[in-house]
Amino acid sequence: NFSFRDDTKETGRTSLAFSADYRASDHDPLVIGLNLAPLQAQSISFPALANVVIGAADFDAGASTSSGLAVSYSASPASVCTVSGSAVHLVNGGTCTITASQAGDATYSAATSVSRSFTVLFGQTITFNAIPAQTLGTSSVTLQATSSAGLALSYSSSTPAVCAVSGSALTLVSAGTCTITASQSGNSSYAAATSVTQSFTVNPSATNTGGADDGSADTPIGPFWLLVQGLGLLGGASWFKRRRAA
């Protein structure tokens, strides 16, 4: 009569217990051989998980063990993310924590669990309407793009010889094509938005359009010039009188 107990999984140690009811007079000698090799250690490799925008497709958690045994996963909180097998599913914005575990088997002891956290970000978009043509000399233009997240935008000019930007104020520098880009880099809750670019024409300032340029358009008119012209007329009349008298 022989019984055998292996409590390795319960205690985490290689421990064997047995009992036997044996009558040597009735049987051959009893020989019992035991292999008491300790369980091998194993570890979990679990790379960091990058932040993800809500709405992204499910992805593989990506952990592995040094033993080659399958990894099991759990996710928390369920209001932000869930896991099925090794596939992580995004539910809502927030911080998601995935824990990788391996319970061991008859050869390997249980591995130390490893957890990785990442942020599930909300997306955002930029609305930047077309800018109409401007005339050089116009006072600075206020740029008015908006973000669906309500976050402040930044602007940049890729044509600084034509237009310059400071904050949301656009200054016209010369005639040509002005190109402005609106950006929003995101924050702890929102992912960076896709930048939006608008281009428009800066026309030259208004000039004389009354025909050939005879210089009259540039002649200042005022009391001084009226006086000069009056004196000229008086001088001409005096000369005409002297000619008649002669």
Side-chain angles (χ1 to χ4, degrees):
N1 183 13
F2 181 82
S3 64
F4 178 85
R5 186 178 79 250
D6 177 1
D7 61 356
T8 303
K9 290 187 177 180
E10 287 74 14
T11 65
R13 298 173 297 175
T14 303
S15 174
L16 302 177
F18 65 90
S19 62
D21 181 7
Y22 177 73
R23 291 187 177 90
S25 60
D26 298 333
H27 301 81
D28 293 333
L30 176 64
V31 178
I32 298 175
L34 299 176
N35 182 3
L36 301 181
L39 293 176
Q40 298 180 46
Q42 63 170 328
S43 60
I44 292 175
S45 175
F46 195 3
L49 298 173
N51 293 342
V52 186
V53 179
I54 188 71
D58 294 357
F59 61 92
D60 188 83
S64 61
T65 64
S66 58
S67 65
L69 297 176
V71 176
S72 61
Y73 298 94
S74 61
S76 66
S79 59
V80 175
C81 59
T82 59
V83 64
S84 176
S86 62
V88 179
H89 176 71
L90 308 177
V91 178
N92 206 346
T95 299
C96 171
T97 299
I98 304 294
T99 300
S101 305
Q102 216 303 311
D105 62 6
T107 303
Y108 290 93
S109 60
T112 300
S113 297
V114 180
S115 295
R116 294 285 182 258
S117 295
F118 64 95
T119 301
V120 181
L121 299 165
F122 293 104
Q124 61 169 325
T125 57
I126 291 174
T127 300
F128 191 11
N129 295 327
I131 303 172
Q134 303 291 318
T135 300
L136 190 63
T138 304
S139 58
S140 64
V141 178
T142 300
L143 300 171
Q144 298 181 337
T146 59
S147 158
S148 60
L151 301 176
L153 290 146
S154 61
Y155 300 93
S156 62
S157 169
S158 56
T159 53
V162 177
C163 55
V165 65
S166 176
S168 61
L170 176 68
T171 301
L172 307 179
V173 178
S174 66
T177 299
C178 172
T179 300
I180 300 296
T181 298
S183 305
Q184 215 304 311
S185 58
N187 60 12
S188 60
S189 297
Y190 287 89
T194 300
S195 297
V196 178
T197 298
Q198 293 289 359
S199 296
F200 63 95
T201 299
V202 179
N203 295 314
S205 58
T207 57
N208 175 41
T209 58
D213 185 5
D214 59 3
S216 61
D218 296 325
T219 302
I221 303 298
F224 175 74
W225 289 104
L226 290 175
L227 176 61
V228 170
Q229 291 179 8
L231 290 174
L233 291 173
L234 289 174
S238 176
W239 177 85
F240 181 73
K241 288 180 180 180
R242 288 198 301 272
R243 289 282 296 176
R244 290 190 62 183

PDB file of all heavy atoms in Angstrom, residues 55-97:
ATOM      1  N   GLY A  55     -10.030  55.333 -29.841  1.00  0.00           N
ATOM      2  CA  GLY A  55     -10.508  55.017 -31.171  1.00  0.00           C
ATOM      3  C   GLY A  55      -9.525  54.172 -31.961  1.00  0.00           C
ATOM      4  O   GLY A  55      -9.872  53.631 -33.018  1.00  0.00           O
ATOM      5  N   ALA A  56      -8.286  54.043 -31.439  1.00  0.00           N
ATOM      6  CA  ALA A  56      -7.295  53.205 -32.117  1.00  0.00           C
ATOM      7  C   ALA A  56      -7.704  51.738 -32.033  1.00  0.00           C
ATOM      8  O   ALA A  56      -8.430  51.326 -31.122  1.00  0.00           O
ATOM      9  CB  ALA A  56      -5.921  53.406 -31.486  1.00  0.00           C
ATOM     10  N   ALA A  57      -7.233  50.938 -32.967  1.00  0.00           N
ATOM     11  CA  ALA A  57      -7.564  49.516 -32.996  1.00  0.00           C
ATOM     12  C   ALA A  57      -6.939  48.786 -31.810  1.00  0.00           C
ATOM     13  O   ALA A  57      -5.960  49.254 -31.210  1.00  0.00           O
ATOM     14  CB  ALA A  57      -7.062  48.904 -34.301  1.00  0.00           C
ATOM     15  N   ASP A  58      -7.531  47.642 -31.438  1.00  0.00           N
ATOM     16  CA  ASP A  58      -6.956  46.811 -30.377  1.00  0.00           C
ATOM     17  C   ASP A  58      -5.513  46.445 -30.751  1.00  0.00           C
ATOM     18  O   ASP A  58      -5.172  46.296 -31.926  1.00  0.00           O
ATOM     19  CB  ASP A  58      -7.777  45.527 -30.210  1.00  0.00           C
ATOM     20  CG  ASP A  58      -9.185  45.805 -29.688  1.00  0.00           C
ATOM     21  OD1 ASP A  58      -9.496  46.973 -29.413  1.00  0.00           O
ATOM     22  OD2 ASP A  58      -9.964  44.842 -29.580  1.00  0.00           O
ATOM     23  N   PHE A  59      -4.666  46.288 -29.739  1.00  0.00           N
ATOM     24  CA  PHE A  59      -3.270  45.959 -30.006  1.00  0.00           C
ATOM     25  C   PHE A  59      -2.777  44.902 -29.030  1.00  0.00           C
ATOM     26  O   PHE A  59      -3.355  44.693 -27.960  1.00  0.00           O
ATOM     27  CB  PHE A  59      -2.391  47.215 -29.914  1.00  0.00           C
ATOM     28  CG  PHE A  59      -2.409  47.883 -28.567  1.00  0.00           C
ATOM     29  CD1 PHE A  59      -1.477  47.566 -27.590  1.00  0.00           C
ATOM     30  CD2 PHE A  59      -3.372  48.847 -28.271  1.00  0.00           C
ATOM     31  CE1 PHE A  59      -1.494  48.183 -26.351  1.00  0.00           C
ATOM     32  CE2 PHE A  59      -3.407  49.465 -27.038  1.00  0.00           C
ATOM     33  CZ  PHE A  59      -2.461  49.138 -26.064  1.00  0.00           C
ATOM     34  N   ASP A  60      -1.709  44.206 -29.413  1.00  0.00           N
ATOM     35  CA  ASP A  60      -1.139  43.141 -28.592  1.00  0.00           C
ATOM     36  C   ASP A  60      -0.315  43.743 -27.464  1.00  0.00           C
ATOM     37  O   ASP A  60       0.494  44.650 -27.690  1.00  0.00           O
ATOM     38  CB  ASP A  60      -0.268  42.229 -29.446  1.00  0.00           C
ATOM     39  CG  ASP A  60       0.184  40.992 -28.678  1.00  0.00           C
ATOM     40  OD1 ASP A  60      -0.595  40.032 -28.602  1.00  0.00           O
ATOM     41  OD2 ASP A  60       1.312  41.008 -28.152  1.00  0.00           O
ATOM     42  N   ALA A  61      -0.504  43.226 -26.254  1.00  0.00           N
ATOM     43  CA  ALA A  61       0.216  43.771 -25.102  1.00  0.00           C
ATOM     44  C   ALA A  61       1.722  43.550 -25.234  1.00  0.00           C
ATOM     45  O   ALA A  61       2.519  44.402 -24.830  1.00  0.00           O
ATOM     46  CB  ALA A  61      -0.306  43.142 -23.814  1.00  0.00           C
ATOM     47  N   GLY A  62       2.129  42.403 -25.749  1.00  0.00           N
ATOM     48  CA  GLY A  62       3.528  42.226 -26.115  1.00  0.00           C
ATOM     49  C   GLY A  62       4.474  41.703 -25.066  1.00  0.00           C
ATOM     50  O   GLY A  62       5.694  41.788 -25.239  1.00  0.00           O
ATOM     51  N   ALA A  63       3.988  41.129 -23.973  1.00  0.00           N
ATOM     52  CA  ALA A  63       4.890  40.560 -22.960  1.00  0.00           C
ATOM     53  C   ALA A  63       5.300  39.145 -23.355  1.00  0.00           C
ATOM     54  O   ALA A  63       4.614  38.470 -24.131  1.00  0.00           O
ATOM     55  CB  ALA A  63       4.215  40.563 -21.592  1.00  0.00           C
ATOM     56  N   SER A  64       6.423  38.682 -22.801  1.00  0.00           N
ATOM     57  CA  SER A  64       6.895  37.315 -23.043  1.00  0.00           C
ATOM     58  C   SER A  64       7.629  36.824 -21.802  1.00  0.00           C
ATOM     59  O   SER A  64       7.986  37.610 -20.913  1.00  0.00           O
ATOM     60  CB  SER A  64       7.821  37.269 -24.260  1.00  0.00           C
ATOM     61  OG  SER A  64       8.962  38.087 -24.048  1.00  0.00           O
ATOM     62  N   THR A  65       7.855  35.505 -21.722  1.00  0.00           N
ATOM     63  CA  THR A  65       8.564  34.929 -20.580  1.00  0.00           C
ATOM     64  C   THR A  65       9.872  34.295 -21.036  1.00  0.00           C
ATOM     65  O   THR A  65      10.017  33.861 -22.185  1.00  0.00           O
ATOM     66  CB  THR A  65       7.716  33.842 -19.892  1.00  0.00           C
ATOM     67  OG1 THR A  65       7.513  32.769 -20.820  1.00  0.00           O
ATOM     68  CG2 THR A  65       6.384  34.398 -19.433  1.00  0.00           C
ATOM     69  N   SER A  66      10.835  34.234 -20.132  1.00  0.00           N
ATOM     70  CA  SER A  66      12.117  33.597 -20.437  1.00  0.00           C
ATOM     71  C   SER A  66      11.950  32.090 -20.618  1.00  0.00           C
ATOM     72  O   SER A  66      12.779  31.443 -21.263  1.00  0.00           O
ATOM     73  CB  SER A  66      13.115  33.880 -19.309  1.00  0.00           C
ATOM     74  OG  SER A  66      12.615  33.406 -18.067  1.00  0.00           O
ATOM     75  N   SER A  67      10.877  31.526 -20.061  1.00  0.00           N
ATOM     76  CA  SER A  67      10.629  30.086 -20.169  1.00  0.00           C
ATOM     77  C   SER A  67       9.907  29.702 -21.447  1.00  0.00           C
ATOM     78  O   SER A  67       9.856  28.531 -21.821  1.00  0.00           O
ATOM     79  CB  SER A  67       9.785  29.621 -18.979  1.00  0.00           C
ATOM     80  OG  SER A  67       8.491  30.220 -19.036  1.00  0.00           O
ATOM     81  N   GLY A  68       9.309  30.690 -22.112  1.00  0.00           N
ATOM     82  CA  GLY A  68       8.496  30.411 -23.290  1.00  0.00           C
ATOM     83  C   GLY A  68       7.064  30.065 -22.969  1.00  0.00           C
ATOM     84  O   GLY A  68       6.276  29.783 -23.879  1.00  0.00           O
ATOM     85  N   LEU A  69       6.702  30.070 -21.676  1.00  0.00           N
ATOM     86  CA  LEU A  69       5.316  29.785 -21.285  1.00  0.00           C
ATOM     87  C   LEU A  69       4.430  30.985 -21.600  1.00  0.00           C
ATOM     88  O   LEU A  69       4.888  32.134 -21.633  1.00  0.00           O
ATOM     89  CB  LEU A  69       5.249  29.451 -19.793  1.00  0.00           C
ATOM     90  CG  LEU A  69       6.016  28.200 -19.356  1.00  0.00           C
ATOM     91  CD1 LEU A  69       5.940  28.035 -17.844  1.00  0.00           C
ATOM     92  CD2 LEU A  69       5.484  26.953 -20.064  1.00  0.00           C
ATOM     93  N   ALA A  70       3.139  30.711 -21.836  1.00  0.00           N
ATOM     94  CA  ALA A  70       2.197  31.764 -22.199  1.00  0.00           C
ATOM     95  C   ALA A  70       1.972  32.731 -21.045  1.00  0.00           C
ATOM     96  O   ALA A  70       1.933  32.347 -19.875  1.00  0.00           O
ATOM     97  CB  ALA A  70       0.869  31.144 -22.620  1.00  0.00           C
ATOM     98  N   VAL A  71       1.817  34.003 -21.398  1.00  0.00           N
ATOM     99  CA  VAL A  71       1.565  35.057 -20.412  1.00  0.00           C
ATOM    100  C   VAL A  71       0.063  35.290 -20.308  1.00  0.00           C
ATOM    101  O   VAL A  71      -0.660  35.241 -21.308  1.00  0.00           O
ATOM    102  CB  VAL A  71       2.264  36.363 -20.821  1.00  0.00           C
ATOM    103  CG1 VAL A  71       1.937  37.486 -19.852  1.00  0.00           C
ATOM    104  CG2 VAL A  71       3.768  36.161 -20.914  1.00  0.00           C
ATOM    105  N   SER A  72      -0.423  35.550 -19.105  1.00  0.00           N
ATOM    106  CA  SER A  72      -1.819  35.956 -18.912  1.00  0.00           C
ATOM    107  C   SER A  72      -1.831  37.426 -18.519  1.00  0.00           C
ATOM    108  O   SER A  72      -0.884  37.930 -17.905  1.00  0.00           O
ATOM    109  CB  SER A  72      -2.501  35.108 -17.839  1.00  0.00           C
ATOM    110  OG  SER A  72      -1.854  35.257 -16.588  1.00  0.00           O
ATOM    111  N   TYR A  73      -2.931  38.123 -18.878  1.00  0.00           N
ATOM    112  CA  TYR A  73      -2.998  39.564 -18.661  1.00  0.00           C
ATOM    113  C   TYR A  73      -4.265  39.947 -17.900  1.00  0.00           C
ATOM    114  O   TYR A  73      -5.286  39.269 -17.997  1.00  0.00           O
ATOM    115  CB  TYR A  73      -3.008  40.316 -19.995  1.00  0.00           C
ATOM    116  CG  TYR A  73      -1.781  40.131 -20.852  1.00  0.00           C
ATOM    117  CD1 TYR A  73      -1.750  39.139 -21.839  1.00  0.00           C
ATOM    118  CD2 TYR A  73      -0.675  40.949 -20.706  1.00  0.00           C
ATOM    119  CE1 TYR A  73      -0.634  38.970 -22.644  1.00  0.00           C
ATOM    120  CE2 TYR A  73       0.445  40.790 -21.509  1.00  0.00           C
ATOM    121  CZ  TYR A  73       0.463  39.809 -22.479  1.00  0.00           C
ATOM    122  OH  TYR A  73       1.557  39.639 -23.268  1.00  0.00           O
ATOM    123  N   SER A  74      -4.155  41.076 -17.212  1.00  0.00           N
ATOM    124  CA  SER A  74      -5.336  41.712 -16.617  1.00  0.00           C
ATOM    125  C   SER A  74      -5.207  43.210 -16.852  1.00  0.00           C
ATOM    126  O   SER A  74      -4.105  43.734 -17.022  1.00  0.00           O
ATOM    127  CB  SER A  74      -5.427  41.411 -15.109  1.00  0.00           C
ATOM    128  OG  SER A  74      -4.294  41.923 -14.419  1.00  0.00           O
ATOM    129  N   ALA A  75      -6.356  43.920 -16.902  1.00  0.00           N
ATOM    130  CA  ALA A  75      -6.371  45.355 -17.193  1.00  0.00           C
ATOM    131  C   ALA A  75      -7.198  46.084 -16.152  1.00  0.00           C
ATOM    132  O   ALA A  75      -8.206  45.568 -15.657  1.00  0.00           O
ATOM    133  CB  ALA A  75      -6.937  45.607 -18.583  1.00  0.00           C
ATOM    134  N   SER A  76      -6.773  47.305 -15.830  1.00  0.00           N
ATOM    135  CA  SER A  76      -7.548  48.138 -14.906  1.00  0.00           C
ATOM    136  C   SER A  76      -7.270  49.623 -15.195  1.00  0.00           C
ATOM    137  O   SER A  76      -6.173  49.957 -15.661  1.00  0.00           O
ATOM    138  CB  SER A  76      -7.186  47.805 -13.455  1.00  0.00           C
ATOM    139  OG  SER A  76      -5.838  48.163 -13.181  1.00  0.00           O
ATOM    140  N   PRO A  77      -8.256  50.513 -14.959  1.00  0.00           N
ATOM    141  CA  PRO A  77      -9.641  50.164 -14.647  1.00  0.00           C
ATOM    142  C   PRO A  77     -10.399  49.793 -15.911  1.00  0.00           C
ATOM    143  O   PRO A  77     -10.055  50.235 -17.006  1.00  0.00           O
ATOM    144  CB  PRO A  77     -10.175  51.466 -14.038  1.00  0.00           C
ATOM    145  CG  PRO A  77      -9.403  52.540 -14.762  1.00  0.00           C
ATOM    146  CD  PRO A  77      -8.030  51.971 -14.975  1.00  0.00           C
ATOM    147  N   ALA A  78     -11.462  49.022 -15.744  1.00  0.00           N
ATOM    148  CA  ALA A  78     -12.251  48.569 -16.889  1.00  0.00           C
ATOM    149  C   ALA A  78     -12.948  49.723 -17.602  1.00  0.00           C
ATOM    150  O   ALA A  78     -13.343  49.582 -18.764  1.00  0.00           O
ATOM    151  CB  ALA A  78     -13.278  47.541 -16.422  1.00  0.00           C
ATOM    152  N   SER A  79     -13.083  50.867 -16.927  1.00  0.00           N
ATOM    153  CA  SER A  79     -13.725  52.025 -17.552  1.00  0.00           C
ATOM    154  C   SER A  79     -12.818  52.679 -18.591  1.00  0.00           C
ATOM    155  O   SER A  79     -13.280  53.475 -19.412  1.00  0.00           O
ATOM    156  CB  SER A  79     -14.102  53.060 -16.483  1.00  0.00           C
ATOM    157  OG  SER A  79     -12.949  53.484 -15.767  1.00  0.00           O
ATOM    158  N   VAL A  80     -11.519  52.342 -18.553  1.00  0.00           N
ATOM    159  CA  VAL A  80     -10.555  52.917 -19.497  1.00  0.00           C
ATOM    160  C   VAL A  80     -10.095  51.890 -20.526  1.00  0.00           C
ATOM    161  O   VAL A  80      -9.948  52.201 -21.706  1.00  0.00           O
ATOM    162  CB  VAL A  80      -9.341  53.509 -18.750  1.00  0.00           C
ATOM    163  CG1 VAL A  80      -8.278  54.011 -19.726  1.00  0.00           C
ATOM    164  CG2 VAL A  80      -9.786  54.637 -17.831  1.00  0.00           C
ATOM    165  N   CYS A  81      -9.852  50.633 -20.083  1.00  0.00           N
ATOM    166  CA  CYS A  81      -9.344  49.615 -21.003  1.00  0.00           C
ATOM    167  C   CYS A  81      -9.705  48.223 -20.501  1.00  0.00           C
ATOM    168  O   CYS A  81      -9.915  48.015 -19.302  1.00  0.00           O
ATOM    169  CB  CYS A  81      -7.829  49.735 -21.157  1.00  0.00           C
ATOM    170  SG  CYS A  81      -6.931  49.559 -19.589  1.00  0.00           S
ATOM    171  N   THR A  82      -9.744  47.279 -21.424  1.00  0.00           N
ATOM    172  CA  THR A  82      -9.973  45.877 -21.092  1.00  0.00           C
ATOM    173  C   THR A  82      -8.970  45.045 -21.885  1.00  0.00           C
ATOM    174  O   THR A  82      -8.323  45.546 -22.816  1.00  0.00           O
ATOM    175  CB  THR A  82     -11.406  45.429 -21.440  1.00  0.00           C
ATOM    176  OG1 THR A  82     -11.630  45.625 -22.845  1.00  0.00           O
ATOM    177  CG2 THR A  82     -12.436  46.222 -20.644  1.00  0.00           C
ATOM    178  N   VAL A  83      -8.842  43.752 -21.523  1.00  0.00           N
ATOM    179  CA  VAL A  83      -7.937  42.870 -22.253  1.00  0.00           C
ATOM    180  C   VAL A  83      -8.609  41.519 -22.449  1.00  0.00           C
ATOM    181  O   VAL A  83      -9.295  41.013 -21.555  1.00  0.00           O
ATOM    182  CB  VAL A  83      -6.587  42.721 -21.513  1.00  0.00           C
ATOM    183  CG1 VAL A  83      -6.762  42.045 -20.171  1.00  0.00           C
ATOM    184  CG2 VAL A  83      -5.561  41.984 -22.364  1.00  0.00           C
ATOM    185  N   SER A  84      -8.447  40.961 -23.643  1.00  0.00           N
ATOM    186  CA  SER A  84      -8.967  39.635 -23.964  1.00  0.00           C
ATOM    187  C   SER A  84      -7.828  38.848 -24.587  1.00  0.00           C
ATOM    188  O   SER A  84      -7.360  39.202 -25.681  1.00  0.00           O
ATOM    189  CB  SER A  84     -10.148  39.741 -24.931  1.00  0.00           C
ATOM    190  OG  SER A  84     -10.601  38.467 -25.316  1.00  0.00           O
ATOM    191  N   GLY A  85      -7.376  37.799 -23.889  1.00  0.00           N
ATOM    192  CA  GLY A  85      -6.165  37.128 -24.333  1.00  0.00           C
ATOM    193  C   GLY A  85      -5.009  38.082 -24.170  1.00  0.00           C
ATOM    194  O   GLY A  85      -4.701  38.524 -23.062  1.00  0.00           O
ATOM    195  N   SER A  86      -4.388  38.468 -25.280  1.00  0.00           N
ATOM    196  CA  SER A  86      -3.310  39.469 -25.215  1.00  0.00           C
ATOM    197  C   SER A  86      -3.712  40.770 -25.908  1.00  0.00           C
ATOM    198  O   SER A  86      -2.887  41.682 -26.043  1.00  0.00           O
ATOM    199  CB  SER A  86      -2.045  38.917 -25.877  1.00  0.00           C
ATOM    200  OG  SER A  86      -2.270  38.647 -27.255  1.00  0.00           O
ATOM    201  N   ALA A  87      -4.992  40.878 -26.350  1.00  0.00           N
ATOM    202  CA  ALA A  87      -5.457  42.052 -27.086  1.00  0.00           C
ATOM    203  C   ALA A  87      -6.007  43.106 -26.128  1.00  0.00           C
ATOM    204  O   ALA A  87      -6.951  42.840 -25.371  1.00  0.00           O
ATOM    205  CB  ALA A  87      -6.518  41.660 -28.100  1.00  0.00           C
ATOM    206  N   VAL A  88      -5.426  44.303 -26.169  1.00  0.00           N
ATOM    207  CA  VAL A  88      -5.857  45.419 -25.321  1.00  0.00           C
ATOM    208  C   VAL A  88      -6.882  46.244 -26.085  1.00  0.00           C
ATOM    209  O   VAL A  88      -6.642  46.633 -27.241  1.00  0.00           O
ATOM    210  CB  VAL A  88      -4.662  46.303 -24.917  1.00  0.00           C
ATOM    211  CG1 VAL A  88      -5.130  47.472 -24.058  1.00  0.00           C
ATOM    212  CG2 VAL A  88      -3.618  45.478 -24.180  1.00  0.00           C
ATOM    213  N   HIS A  89      -8.012  46.514 -25.451  1.00  0.00           N
ATOM    214  CA  HIS A  89      -9.089  47.287 -26.071  1.00  0.00           C
ATOM    215  C   HIS A  89      -9.275  48.587 -25.296  1.00  0.00           C
ATOM    216  O   HIS A  89      -9.354  48.582 -24.053  1.00  0.00           O
ATOM    217  CB  HIS A  89     -10.394  46.486 -26.071  1.00  0.00           C
ATOM    218  CG  HIS A  89     -11.566  47.245 -26.606  1.00  0.00           C
ATOM    219  ND1 HIS A  89     -11.707  47.564 -27.943  1.00  0.00           N
ATOM    220  CD2 HIS A  89     -12.659  47.773 -25.964  1.00  0.00           C
ATOM    221  CE1 HIS A  89     -12.829  48.235 -28.112  1.00  0.00           C
ATOM    222  NE2 HIS A  89     -13.419  48.367 -26.937  1.00  0.00           N
ATOM    223  N   LEU A  90      -9.345  49.711 -26.002  1.00  0.00           N
ATOM    224  CA  LEU A  90      -9.514  51.030 -25.388  1.00  0.00           C
ATOM    225  C   LEU A  90     -10.995  51.340 -25.221  1.00  0.00           C
ATOM    226  O   LEU A  90     -11.787  51.139 -26.141  1.00  0.00           O
ATOM    227  CB  LEU A  90      -8.848  52.098 -26.245  1.00  0.00           C
ATOM    228  CG  LEU A  90      -7.380  51.822 -26.618  1.00  0.00           C
ATOM    229  CD1 LEU A  90      -6.856  52.932 -27.523  1.00  0.00           C
ATOM    230  CD2 LEU A  90      -6.524  51.679 -25.372  1.00  0.00           C
ATOM    231  N   VAL A  91     -11.353  51.838 -24.032  1.00  0.00           N
ATOM    232  CA  VAL A  91     -12.757  52.136 -23.723  1.00  0.00           C
ATOM    233  C   VAL A  91     -12.995  53.632 -23.614  1.00  0.00           C
ATOM    234  O   VAL A  91     -13.959  54.170 -24.155  1.00  0.00           O
ATOM    235  CB  VAL A  91     -13.181  51.444 -22.412  1.00  0.00           C
ATOM    236  CG1 VAL A  91     -14.623  51.792 -22.053  1.00  0.00           C
ATOM    237  CG2 VAL A  91     -13.013  49.933 -22.528  1.00  0.00           C
ATOM    238  N   ASN A  92     -12.099  54.338 -22.917  1.00  0.00           N
ATOM    239  CA  ASN A  92     -12.288  55.773 -22.675  1.00  0.00           C
ATOM    240  C   ASN A  92     -10.937  56.395 -22.357  1.00  0.00           C
ATOM    241  O   ASN A  92      -9.942  55.692 -22.160  1.00  0.00           O
ATOM    242  CB  ASN A  92     -13.264  56.001 -21.522  1.00  0.00           C
ATOM    243  CG  ASN A  92     -13.968  57.343 -21.607  1.00  0.00           C
ATOM    244  OD1 ASN A  92     -13.561  58.223 -22.360  1.00  0.00           O
ATOM    245  ND2 ASN A  92     -15.025  57.518 -20.839  1.00  0.00           N
ATOM    246  N   GLY A  93     -10.906  57.718 -22.300  1.00  0.00           N
ATOM    247  CA  GLY A  93      -9.671  58.400 -21.957  1.00  0.00           C
ATOM    248  C   GLY A  93      -9.301  58.191 -20.495  1.00  0.00           C
ATOM    249  O   GLY A  93     -10.167  58.003 -19.638  1.00  0.00           O
ATOM    250  N   GLY A  94      -8.009  58.200 -20.212  1.00  0.00           N
ATOM    251  CA  GLY A  94      -7.525  58.027 -18.837  1.00  0.00           C
ATOM    252  C   GLY A  94      -6.244  57.217 -18.809  1.00  0.00           C
ATOM    253  O   GLY A  94      -5.595  57.014 -19.839  1.00  0.00           O
ATOM    254  N   THR A  95      -5.886  56.730 -17.614  1.00  0.00           N
ATOM    255  CA  THR A  95      -4.682  55.916 -17.459  1.00  0.00           C
ATOM    256  C   THR A  95      -5.064  54.448 -17.395  1.00  0.00           C
ATOM    257  O   THR A  95      -5.899  54.048 -16.582  1.00  0.00           O
ATOM    258  CB  THR A  95      -3.912  56.302 -16.183  1.00  0.00           C
ATOM    259  OG1 THR A  95      -3.511  57.673 -16.278  1.00  0.00           O
ATOM    260  CG2 THR A  95      -2.673  55.435 -16.003  1.00  0.00           C
ATOM    261  N   CYS A  96      -4.455  53.638 -18.248  1.00  0.00           N
ATOM    262  CA  CYS A  96      -4.707  52.197 -18.313  1.00  0.00           C
ATOM    263  C   CYS A  96      -3.488  51.456 -17.785  1.00  0.00           C
ATOM    264  O   CYS A  96      -2.351  51.780 -18.139  1.00  0.00           O
ATOM    265  CB  CYS A  96      -4.997  51.785 -19.754  1.00  0.00           C
ATOM    266  SG  CYS A  96      -5.068  49.990 -20.018  1.00  0.00           S
ATOM    267  N   THR A  97      -3.714  50.445 -16.942  1.00  0.00           N
ATOM    268  CA  THR A  97      -2.632  49.612 -16.416  1.00  0.00           C
ATOM    269  C   THR A  97      -2.860  48.162 -16.820  1.00  0.00           C
ATOM    270  O   THR A  97      -3.913  47.590 -16.539  1.00  0.00           O
ATOM    271  CB  THR A  97      -2.540  49.716 -14.884  1.00  0.00           C
ATOM    272  OG1 THR A  97      -2.271  51.072 -14.518  1.00  0.00           O
ATOM    273  CG2 THR A  97      -1.426  48.829 -14.344  1.00  0.00           C
TER     274      THR A  97
END
